[in-house]
């Protein structure tokens, strides 16, 4: 059949696409009204389109259909999804459930107080999301403060003594050198008895 319109053909409906209504993607032309996800029918643009062969998808549907599967592959940080992609024609394979180890020599990490380390300040379990390491120990972010003044600390601003952590100012006042010439500033004199 002759191509009387002379324009390019839409990648979805195969009708002629005129310049005013054209959207280009991966060398193909589409009508603006045809540039939709093949699964959920959402409107697409250059930032949300994902192409697989001649098919176009939104990034979410593309990920569910063609992306990696398994634990840890969600839609964002901390997201859990029970969607296994059945609506996209993906067949889910059942996997064996988790079985605890029968190894009597479990790792040293797992042997630490119920599988997690304890904060030296509050003696509560410290988990990875709230863990700060200082003075060779794991602390809660909220407990990682000077023992004297309560100032929040960082690894570069702390000093430790006898298992406690201090800001550099409190450490110097309490454990630094005493006597004439050792004070809070240049030339300050402090009399200590």
């Amino acid at each position: 059949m002759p191509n009387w319109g002379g324009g390019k053909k839409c990648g979805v409906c195969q009708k002629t696409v005129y310049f005013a209504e054209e959207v280009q993607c991966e060398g193909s032309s589409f009508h603006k009204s045809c540039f939709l996800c093949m699964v959920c029918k959402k409107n697409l643009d250059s930032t949300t389109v994902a192409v697989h062969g001649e098919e176009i998808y939104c990034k979410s549907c593309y990920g569910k259909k063609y992306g990696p599967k398994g634990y840890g592959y969600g839609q964002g940080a901390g997201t859990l999804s029970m969607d296994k992609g059945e609506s996209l024609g993906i067949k889910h394979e059942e996997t064996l459930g988790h079985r605890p180890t029968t190894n009597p020599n479990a790792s040293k990490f797992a042997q630490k107080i119920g599988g997690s380390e304890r904060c030296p300040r509050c003696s509560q379990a410290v988990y990875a999301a709230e863990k700060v390491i200082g003075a060779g120990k794991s602390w809660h972010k909220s407990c990682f403060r000077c023992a004297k003044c309560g100032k929040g600390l960082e690894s570069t601003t702390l000093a430790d003594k006898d298992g406690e952590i201090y800001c550099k100012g409190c450490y110097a006042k309490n454990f630094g050198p005493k006597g004439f010439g050792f004070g809070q500033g240049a030339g300050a004199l402090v009399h200590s008895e």
Side-chain angles (χ1 to χ4, degrees), residues 10-13 15-24 29-37 41-45 56:
C10 176
V12 175
C13 71
K15 293 182 181 173
T16 302
V17 180
Y18 297 100
F19 181 76
E21 58 186 357
E22 181 181 29
V23 176
Q24 290 187 344
S29 295
F30 298 88
H31 293 108
K32 287 180 185 174
S33 59
C34 292
F35 199 58
L36 306 171
C37 174
K41 305 298 182 205
K42 286 183 184 173
N43 287 324
L44 300 173
D45 62 34
I56 55 174

Side-chain angles (χ1 to χ4, degrees), residues 24-193:
Q24 290 187 344
C25 177
E26 300 269 324
S28 297
S29 295
F30 298 88
H31 293 108
K32 287 180 185 174
S33 59
C34 292
F35 199 58
L36 306 171
C37 174
M38 303 284 284
V39 176
C40 68
K41 305 298 182 205
K42 286 183 184 173
N43 287 324
L44 300 173
D45 62 34
S46 62
T47 62
T48 59
V49 69
V51 180
H52 187 81
E54 298 293 316
E55 300 172 334
I56 55 174
Y57 299 94
C58 67
K59 289 187 178 183
S60 178
C61 291
Y62 179 87
K64 288 176 186 173
K65 189 163 184 175
Y66 299 109
K69 308 289 186 287
Y71 179 76
Y73 294 103
Q75 285 80 33
T79 303
L80 292 177
S81 174
M82 299 305 291
D83 183 2
K84 297 176 184 171
E86 287 92 356
S87 64
L88 303 174
I90 299 169
K91 293 181 178 139
H92 179 68
E93 297 173 13
E94 289 296 320
T95 57
L96 297 174
H98 172 72
R99 293 179 298 153
T101 182
T102 56
N103 182 356
N105 296 323
S107 71
K108 290 188 183 207
F109 178 77
Q111 291 173 358
K112 288 184 183 176
I113 313 168
S116 63
E117 300 172 83
R118 297 280 176 170
C119 174
R121 176 84 29 93
C122 69
S123 300
Q124 298 294 316
V126 181
Y127 298 101
E130 58 189 357
K131 182 163 133 177
V132 178
I133 297 175
K137 298 176 185 161
S138 297
W139 304 75
H140 292 110
K141 288 178 185 173
S142 58
C143 295
F144 198 62
R145 301 185 161 281
C146 175
K148 288 285 185 189
C149 69
K151 179 179 169 185
L153 299 173
E154 295 177 12
S155 61
T156 59
T157 62
L158 79 90
D160 66 305
K161 181 162 176 77
D162 300 328
E164 250 327 326
I165 55 174
Y166 303 90
C167 67
K168 290 189 176 182
C170 288
Y171 183 87
K173 286 179 194 171
N174 292 291
F175 307 109
K178 305 280 190 282
F180 290 107
F182 296 102
Q184 282 76 31
L189 296 176
V190 175
H191 179 71
S192 63
E193 297 180 37

Side-chain angles (χ1 to χ4, degrees), residues 1-9 16-18:
M1 183 171 156
N3 185 2
W4 300 112
K8 300 174 186 173
K9 297 294 180 188
T16 302
V17 180
Y18 297 100

